[in-house]
Amino acid sequence: MCDQTFVAATFGPCDSCGTASPLMNIYIKNEPINYCSFCMEVMACQGLQKGETLATLKKECESLKKKLEEDRGKLNDVELHQVAEKVEVVGALSIKTRRVLKGHTNKVLCMDWCKDKRRLVSSSQDGKVIVWDGFTLNKEHGMSMPTTWVMACAYAPSGCAVACGGLDNKCSVIPLSLDSNENCAAKKKTVAMHTNYISGCTFTNSDMQLLSCSGDGTSALWDVESGQLLQSFHGHTSDILSLDLAPSETGNTFVTGGCDKKANVWDMRSGQNIQSFECHESDINCVKYYPSGDAFASASDDATCRFFDLRADREVAVFQKDSIVFGASTVDFSLSGRLLFAGYNDYTINVWDVLKGTRISMMFGHENRVSRVRLSPDGTALCSASWDNTLRVIDIFCCFQA
Amino acid sequence: MSGKMCSSSNSIIQAQKLVDQLRVEANMERFKISLTAADLVQYCQEHRRSDPLLTGIAASSNPFKDKKTCVLL
């Protein structure tokens, strides 16, 4: 629930006393509850244990927070780059833009690769979603969405559908037909419905379920076929800007990052927020899991990218430089997790050595902000999407061949 | 008025939720960074060979590399 925007938005019979009055709409353990304000107070006071008051709750809050900080601090016996001292340095990288994908008429906001390693889908402020063949530059499908600012798009694991969403507050799944003459947009099916813009979406391990996150501060798991809400996740106190699913071996969790500067890790089955990290000094624009699933990286408007270890429950590295003053909007790891690619609002992409915490390389080429970077599924190329209306497929080589 | 009445019960519910959430987080089992960082480094090293960006790939197998044009002799 986005607490700070509470207004009695609905009027109707109260679930508890039945009288028609302005209703408070809240969620308790993911169940929506619509009570009038009087019944709400009664329920709240009944829920208190004997002797508990607001003051004692607040005190317990403070002491728990302190305990958490202490516990986390005890584990900080060594820095990541110290453990990685003996690891050999990554050789210089040779970088070349192989393809420039032109076709969008406005800022490209999001892109995703298909598992076949050659197709990709991109979405833009111009309201269009385009499926490209990355080798031939052919536009295989072009679909118009009902609103501009399609902020999120994702390719289905089977390669047979794409999901997209944005200012329409909905995430739709569009099956891709092999017949290029057929109008794909006509078969569009609305799956996710939020009360604010969709900032991110991804399929889970199959085409059957979709995870979405939104500017309304919630994320949700949906069944694609029926459009049914399977689980909703509440806890962020402001817009969520990004989500990422844990790599399949590690199970059913995902991480979200948002404008409340927090990165939260969620259990998909219970809806519970299992871990929370508040280290950034500004909005978190992007979160991405480390390939092993034991850590994740985040990119933020505070011009840093940070690396969080899930088992130690703390931040273990900060990727920053005095010369980098513009916000980072996107991150992705290389296949082994050694390299971190981060796109910034100063039009560049920086390549960081995750273990040593140093910058290896800088990439130029875009003429506006880099909104998304994603490594191809086989790890051979990086695709970057930008506000300069283009996408680039970039080849990266290690100059010293092993 | 109604805003004030709501805010007191609202803040009790909020505080309860926060305390519950913090209790869950406080009970989590955590490991020392020396152990977890060693695992992260080990993962990188183990997968080094399969990361094309670290070990390089032959030009012939790179699908994005420009193909040389054919020459008719």
Side-chain angles (χ1 to χ4, degrees):
Chain A
M1 147 169 88
C2 221
D3 293 334
Q4 74 272 28
T5 57
F6 172 73
V7 168
T10 63
F11 189 94
C14 163
D15 283 354
S16 159
C17 65
T19 47
S21 52
L23 297 179
M24 293 174 72
N25 317 107
I26 67 159
Y27 288 84
I28 297 211
K29 294 201 185 348
N30 298 315
E31 289 296 320
I33 302 225
N34 301 312
Y35 282 6
C36 65
S37 54
F38 181 70
C39 292
M40 189 62 77
E41 268 218 77
V42 169
M43 177 182 66
C45 294
Q46 282 169 348
L48 292 172
Q49 304 298 326
K50 198 171 178 185
E52 266 186 10
T53 59
L54 188 58
T56 58
L57 281 175
K58 284 207 165 135
K59 248 201 218 155
E60 193 177 350
C61 216
E62 291 308 308
S63 71
L64 278 172
K65 278 192 191 161
K66 248 179 115 191
K67 178 173 186 288
L68 265 175
E69 253 190 75
E70 273 173 20
D71 285 346
R72 282 173 173 170
K74 280 187 214 151
L75 302 161
N76 194 17
D77 52 350
V78 75
E79 298 277 333
L80 175 59
H81 61 86
Q82 288 172 309
V83 175
E85 247 168 3
K86 302 260 174 63
V87 178
E88 70 274 15
V89 183
V90 174
L93 298 176
S94 135
I95 291 159
K96 185 145 187 211
T97 299
R98 289 285 171 206
R99 299 279 190 277
V100 180
L101 302 172
K102 295 190 183 169
H104 280 296
T105 55
N106 214 326
K107 311 177 173 78
V108 186
L109 304 171
C110 188
M111 61 79 47
D112 192 21
W113 287 91
C114 178
K115 289 214 158 72
D116 70 1
K117 308 160 208 166
R118 68 185 278 169
R119 286 183 181 76
L120 39 101
V121 62
S122 64
S123 65
S124 161
Q125 185 190 343
D126 63 7
K128 301 238 183 354
V129 173
I130 301 180
V131 177
W132 312 77
D133 179 328
F135 294 175
T136 62
L137 298 189
N138 200 18
K139 295 183 194 52
E140 295 195 347
H141 303 272
M143 295 156 278
S144 281
M145 292 297 119
T147 56
T148 56
W149 288 92
V150 188
M151 296 179 229
C153 62
Y155 227 116
S158 66
C160 299
V162 292
C164 57
L167 281 188
D168 52 351
N169 299 359
K170 301 190 191 105
C171 198
S172 318
V173 173
I174 307 171
L176 300 173
S177 72
L178 295 167
D179 179 0
S180 53
N181 289 330
E182 211 180 318
N183 182 13
C184 281
K187 299 239 221 78
K188 180 168 69 110
K189 183 199 184 92
T190 299
V191 173
M193 308 237 270
H194 280 272
T195 53
N196 210 333
Y197 63 90
I198 304 288
S199 48
C201 64
T202 180
F203 285 88
T204 59
N205 297 328
S206 73
D207 283 18
M208 295 291 96
Q209 291 182 350
L210 186 72
L211 204 53
S212 63
C213 65
S214 164
D216 66 9
T218 69
S219 29
L221 181 66
W222 310 83
D223 176 86
V224 172
E225 191 57 47
S226 61
Q228 198 193 0
L229 173 67
L230 298 172
Q231 185 65 266
S232 66
F233 307 89
H234 302 263
H236 276 285
T237 50
S238 188
D239 305 20
I240 302 181
L241 297 179
S242 171
L243 64 72
D244 188 39
L245 198 60
S248 33
E249 308 88 54
T250 45
N252 299 334
T253 59
F254 69 97
V255 61
T256 54
C259 293
D260 57 0
K261 309 177 201 164
K262 289 210 197 119
N264 291 337
V265 181
W266 309 85
D267 179 323
M268 283 211 293
R269 278 166 297 191
S270 64
Q272 175 78 41
N273 175 5
I274 45 186
Q275 281 174 279
S276 184
F277 301 88
E278 191 167 0
C279 301
H280 274 290
E281 293 159 21
S282 187
D283 301 354
I284 297 180
N285 294 317
C286 184
V287 287
K288 194 80 176 57
Y289 266 97
Y290 187 73
S292 72
D294 290 331
F296 69 92
S298 58
S300 164
D301 276 347
D302 66 5
T304 68
C305 296
R306 290 172 201 243
F307 192 45
F308 299 89
D309 187 319
L310 291 171
R311 292 182 310 158
D313 192 32
R314 58 173 295 132
E315 168 197 286
V316 292
V318 182
F319 305 108
Q320 65 186 346
K321 261 184 143 52
D322 289 342
S323 51
I324 301 176
V325 296
F326 282 84
S329 56
T330 174
V331 278
D332 197 9
F333 284 99
S334 69
L335 281 190
S336 63
R338 183 68 193 273
L339 303 176
L340 182 74
F341 297 92
Y344 291 77
N345 295 343
D346 62 2
Y347 317 171
T348 64
I349 299 172
N350 287 329
V351 188
W352 298 88
D353 181 333
V354 172
L355 301 182
K356 297 201 185 278
T358 53
R359 181 171 61 182
I360 300 173
S361 194
M362 274 182 88
M363 296 192 233
F364 304 90
H366 277 296
E367 292 159 21
N368 207 322
R369 288 192 190 189
V370 179
S371 54
R372 183 91 155 175
V373 291
R374 274 290 173 271
L375 206 69
S376 65
D378 58 359
T380 53
L382 185 78
C383 180
S384 61
S386 165
W387 281 17
D388 66 5
N389 307 1
T390 67
L391 295 104
R392 281 166 196 255
V393 180
I394 304 165
D395 240 359
I396 303 161
F397 278 98
C398 173
C399 283
F400 306 144
Q401 308 255 341
Chain B
M1 288 170 3
S2 66
K4 253 201 207 148
M5 232 174 37
C6 302
S7 68
S8 66
S9 52
N10 211 9
S11 46
I12 291 181
I13 294 176
Q14 271 183 313
Q16 270 183 311
K17 276 201 217 169
L18 200 51
V19 168
D20 287 337
Q21 177 60 33
L22 286 171
R23 280 190 193 138
V24 167
E25 286 182 34
N27 285 335
M28 190 197 141
E29 194 191 353
R30 292 179 194 82
F31 299 94
K32 285 205 161 142
I33 293 191
S34 46
L35 292 172
T36 58
D39 281 348
L40 291 175
V41 172
Q42 195 189 6
Y43 184 91
C44 266
Q45 297 298 79
E46 275 170 14
H47 290 82
R48 200 181 178 283
R49 294 253 153 246
S50 51
D51 188 344
L53 302 181
L54 292 179
T55 55
I57 45 178
S60 53
S61 60
N62 180 7
F64 287 100
K65 196 118 186 159
D66 298 321
K67 302 279 182 283
K68 290 201 174 70
T69 50
C70 298
V71 177
L72 288 173
L73 297 170

